[in-house]
Structures are given as C-alpha cells and as structure tokens.
Amino acid sequence: MPGAGQFALKQQRSVAYLVAEAFLVVQYLAARRDGNRERDAYRALAVSVARKPFDGSQLGSWDYYERLEQFLESGAYDRIPGGAVDPETDASTFNGFRWQLARETFWRDPNVAPALASAEYQRALAFYERQAVGEAFRWSWRDARLQQDVYVQTIRSANRSYQRAVNMLGIVAVNHLASLIDAYVSVRLRHFGAPEKSGSGMALGGIETTYDVTPLGQARFQAGVRLVAR
C-alpha cells in the first residue's frame, strides 16, 4: 500500500501517498463508469437507428462498432440468396469495399473475374467471407446522417473515457513505485547515512514527490531525486 513504508518510518508524507492513491482510484472508477455509459449509448443508437431496418440486436465486437463509424452502410453479404455467395459490389459500402480489396489482392486483374472454380477466385471469396459483415449485423445510416454524427461523437467520447481510465491506472502504478523507492532510500539513509566521497562529489539528499491537478481535472505526478554537492 503506498505510504505504508513512510507510515512505519513515522514520516508525514505517508498521508500524501495515501491521499493520492484514493484520488487516483476514484478517478479511475469514474472514467470507467463514464466509458461504460457511453459505450451502452452508442450501442443502443446503432440498434435503434442503423440496425433497425434489419432487426439486428446482437452485440458486436469493438471493430464492428468502429466500422459503423466509418461506413454509411454495410451492404449485403450475399446479393443473390441461394447457392454460392455473391459478394456485394458497391465499393462505397463496407462489404463492397472488402470485396474490392479481395479482388485487388488475389486476382490478376481486379476488374476481370476468373473462373468461379479457380483457386484465384476461391481465395478472394474466402477472404471476403472472413471479412464481410453478415446479415445479422447489417446496418445503414442512410437518411439518418444526424444520428450517425451523434454516434461518432459518442463513440469518441467513450474512447476518451477509457483512455483516461488507463492513464489513471498508469499513475497508480507510478505512485506505488515512488512510495517503494522513497521508503527504501529512507531506510538506507537511516542505517548507513548519505553516501559521500572524501573531498568533492555528490551525495543523495532525498526524494521529493508532488501531486497536483491540471485545469482539465487530470492528476499529475512528479518525482525527483535531490543531490547535494559535497
């Protein structure tokens, strides 16, 4: 526990480590709460608007929701139901774009289809089937561009909240490390005194740690080693 070593050594700065730990944990929990709320909001918006015409309600992966941000429509998975898969050809849609990429990757000429049974065509089709969005996850923001803009802003806000949570965890780790180093150095100084050389040189004068809060509400931690000239 940050500050435990300082408390055992009867140093007043143990309180600073404990207060910093409590503040950072609260900030982490708040950021996670905000991120989860915003995540639920953009998922609900996708279901009620973009996926509603296709009765889609299953939860998708993070990549799936990112695609909804980038493309107006998913496009069909199979343009002609029944038999072999007929990929979407409209390159402005997500599925059409993936089929275009498959053709450019595996065909000699992306505009000239090889025989359906050829290895060239089958490799492209296999790529498409792995990458394309199925009918259960189909979407369209057509005639709903305002809602798509709200969706984009909500998903970006969720990203910022989750990033803030990660930052708080990082500073928590720094607080633990600084407390550990501070306590270790304090014990060494008490038992052996400050290291110094006869004549001239440098000696360890102590460790300084400070915390403050930026105007944006972010915690900032600073730690430093103080050297004294001999």
Side-chain angles (χ1 to χ4, degrees):
M1 175 66 68
Q6 289 73 26
F7 179 79
L9 294 170
K10 296 181 172 54
Q11 296 173 334
Q12 292 184 351
R13 61 178 176 272
S14 63
V15 177
Y17 285 110
L18 289 172
V19 169
E21 183 79 0
F23 172 79
L24 294 170
V25 169
V26 168
Q27 291 296 310
Y28 165 77
L29 294 175
R32 288 287 302 180
R33 183 193 63 233
D34 292 344
N36 291 340
R37 183 182 66 249
E38 291 154 351
R39 179 201 60 195
D40 293 342
Y42 70 68
R43 285 178 174 177
L45 186 59
V47 168
S48 62
V49 179
R51 303 179 63 188
K52 185 176 182 180
F54 312 102
D55 297 323
S57 59
Q58 299 179 45
L59 291 179
S61 65
W62 160 245
D63 289 342
Y64 170 73
Y65 292 104
E66 189 176 42
R67 293 162 187 163
L68 269 77
E69 179 184 6
Q70 298 168 347
F71 287 86
L72 183 65
E73 294 179 297
S74 64
Y77 177 77
D78 186 2
R79 290 184 298 108
I80 307 174
V85 173
D86 296 285
E88 174 65 68
T89 57
D90 183 356
S92 66
T93 66
F94 175 77
N95 284 350
F97 178 77
R98 303 313 291 178
W99 179 235
Q100 177 180 313
L101 179 60
R103 299 196 317 266
E104 292 173 347
T105 303
F106 296 101
W107 292 5
R108 292 185 179 87
D109 185 342
N111 298 313
V112 178
L116 297 182
S118 67
E120 189 178 351
Y121 186 93
Q122 291 302 315
R123 284 195 296 267
L125 183 61
F127 176 89
Y128 174 80
E129 291 175 339
R130 290 194 305 270
Q131 299 287 327
V133 171
E135 292 299 321
F137 292 95
R138 192 171 176 181
W139 79 84
S140 175
W141 294 106
R142 193 170 296 280
D143 300 324
R145 299 303 295 272
L146 178 60
Q147 290 90 330
Q148 186 185 23
D149 290 339
V150 173
Y151 175 87
V152 170
Q153 294 304 317
T154 306
I155 202 172
R156 290 178 181 175
S157 180
N159 290 344
R160 289 192 295 269
S161 295
Y162 285 129
Q163 184 59 57
R164 189 168 71 252
V166 171
N167 293 343
M168 289 301 107
L169 281 182
I171 302 176
V172 165
V174 171
N175 188 46
H176 281 242
L177 181 61
S179 175
L180 175 65
I181 295 175
D182 185 5
Y184 174 77
V185 171
S186 296
V187 169
R188 296 284 296 181
L189 290 176
R190 286 192 180 190
H191 282 77
F192 303 105
E196 59 178 304
K197 295 174 64 176
S198 59
S200 62
M202 302 296 291
L204 180 63
I207 289 182
E208 298 177 342
T209 58
T210 60
Y211 300 88
D212 62 1
V213 179
T214 68
L216 297 178
Q218 297 177 334
R220 182 167 54 197
F221 168 83
Q222 292 181 331
V225 176
R226 186 172 67 253
L227 296 177
V228 179
R230 296 291 186 179

